Amino acid sequence: NAGVTQTPKFQVLKTGQSMTLQCAQDMNHNSMYWYRQDPGMGLRLIYYSASEGTTDKGEVPNGYNVSRLNKREFSLRLESAAPSQTSVYFCASSVLDREYEQYFGPGTRLTVT
Amino acid sequence: GENVEQHPSTLSVQEGDSAVIKCTYSDSASNYFPWYKQELGKRPQLIIDIRSNVGEKKDQRIAVTLNKTAKHFSLHITETQPEDSAVYFCAQGGYNKLIFGAGTRLAVHP
């Protein structure tokens, strides 16, 4: 099992460009999450999907959109990237109602210039 | 809103000493209080969690305590080793999501 995978690993964007971060899990988990990690600010929840067909805003959803494509895949889209979105992005998944036990992907380091 | 405060932000100990990290949460309806460890350049990984109906839980050299009345919980690491050096995150859980604290960078010096 690959667990949680993310693509790409690194990305540099110019201000105003758009891109989609991809996440997939092969653990048959119902719930998936997107976080951003900035120095000194921990892991902040952007969006989450408790189950296929549902998505909800987290702590910092502005400037992002998500799509739960199917049970395995959960993508994060930046429509118009800003320097403030420079961060490391982590995707995670868990069994429904076991959100305390999340499995994280390797992360995507995004730089917006 | 939901908020988790974590202290200290950095902690430096000598090998063999104990380390304690404390968190305070805001949502009294939270059910789970997990702790994650993130080594440099790696992804966060769950190391231990405690439920809201339990006061203390131990797993070898690590233990967590929960005080629901005061809304705080703590991670205790005894007999620290250099491989314990990492960033530790506490979190409060419920409603199908986790809210994380800002993290504590623990350095264990040989």
Side-chain angles (χ1 to χ4, degrees), chain B residues 93-104:
Chain B
Y95 316 113
N96 299 311
K97 65 180 188 227
L98 290 177
I99 301 298
F100 285 88
T104 296

Side-chain angles (χ1 to χ4, degrees), chain A:
Chain A
N1 286 354
V4 181
T5 57
Q6 292 183 235
T7 55
K9 291 184 176 173
F10 302 94
Q11 183 72 48
V12 179
L13 292 178
K14 295 187 186 303
T15 298
Q17 288 185 318
S18 62
M19 78 161 296
T20 300
L21 281 64
Q22 306 287 354
C23 174
Q25 52 87 14
D26 62 1
M27 295 177 284
N28 201 33
H29 286 168
N30 302 93
S31 303
M32 299 185 74
Y33 314 84
W34 276 106
Y35 296 92
R36 60 177 289 173
Q37 183 173 34
D38 303 294
M41 301 191 76
L43 294 154
R44 291 185 292 170
L45 183 65
I46 304 172
Y47 271 94
Y48 65 105
S49 172
S51 60
E52 189 178 355
T54 69
T55 60
D56 287 285
K57 295 179 180 179
E59 301 167 90
V60 289
N62 291 346
Y64 305 95
N65 285 301
V66 290
S67 295
R68 184 72 183 268
L69 305 170
N70 47 55
K71 190 172 185 179
R72 291 187 62 248
E73 298 173 288
F74 189 37
S75 63
L76 178 72
R77 183 160 178 84
L78 286 70
E79 290 291 352
S80 179
S84 60
Q85 294 179 305
T86 293
S87 189
V88 178
Y89 291 85
F90 284 99
C91 177
S93 69
S94 73
V95 174
L96 185 64
D97 294 332
R98 290 174 63 92
E99 65 270 21
Y100 57 92
E101 186 177 5
Q102 293 187 14
Y103 293 83
F104 284 78
T108 295
R109 185 173 295 276
L110 174 67
T111 301
V112 183
T113 61

Side-chain angles (χ1 to χ4, degrees), chain B residues 80-93:
Chain B
T80 54
Q81 301 168 3
E83 52 264 39
D84 294 329
S85 295
V87 178
Y88 291 81
F89 295 99
C90 63
Q92 66 174 20

Side-chain angles (χ1 to χ4, degrees), chain B residues 34-48:
Chain B
W35 288 87
Y36 283 74
K37 176 183 181 182
Q38 186 180 27
E39 297 177 355
L40 189 61
K42 302 281 185 66
R43 69 193 78 184
Q45 291 189 299
L46 176 69
I47 55 171
I48 194 168

